[in-house]
Amino acid sequence: MIVIGGSLGGMQSAQVVLRSLPATFAVPIVIALHRPADDQDMLTPLLQRGCVLRVTEVIDKEPIEAGRVYVAPADYHV
């Protein structure tokens, strides 16, 4: 598993990394960027743009799958 963390300003860096990944990339990725507790989930669709891997917000107790990108929800510890 690869974990990318940072402030919300790290979104651009995360986008650069995700856009460079091939469809065959088989390692799960978790992205945790600081955002306010009341933040609407606009981060997931932004990160999905240009990324060939499936990008979804983390769902508690969901099995981790290879080749997927998981985004930590606002105000949530992954």
Side-chain angles (χ1 to χ4, degrees):
M1 175 183 294
I2 295 173
V3 178
I4 300 172
S7 67
L8 191 53
M11 180 184 69
Q12 290 175 333
S13 297
Q15 286 177 306
V16 169
V17 170
L18 294 180
R19 287 180 184 148
S20 69
L21 299 175
T24 57
F25 192 81
V27 178
I29 299 172
V30 175
I31 298 178
L33 300 178
H34 181 262
R35 9 183 213 156
D38 62 348
D39 187 52
Q40 300 286 325
D41 183 28
M42 298 303 294
L43 183 59
T44 300
L46 287 173
L47 293 174
Q48 182 66 73
R49 285 190 211 156
C51 180
V52 295
L53 303 175
R54 184 172 171 209
V55 180
T56 59
E57 197 168 76
V58 171
I59 298 173
D60 194 29
K61 310 248 185 321
E62 176 183 24
I64 297 169
E65 294 180 16
R68 288 207 26 211
V69 179
Y70 298 92
V71 178
D75 199 37
Y76 184 81
H77 291 41
V78 177

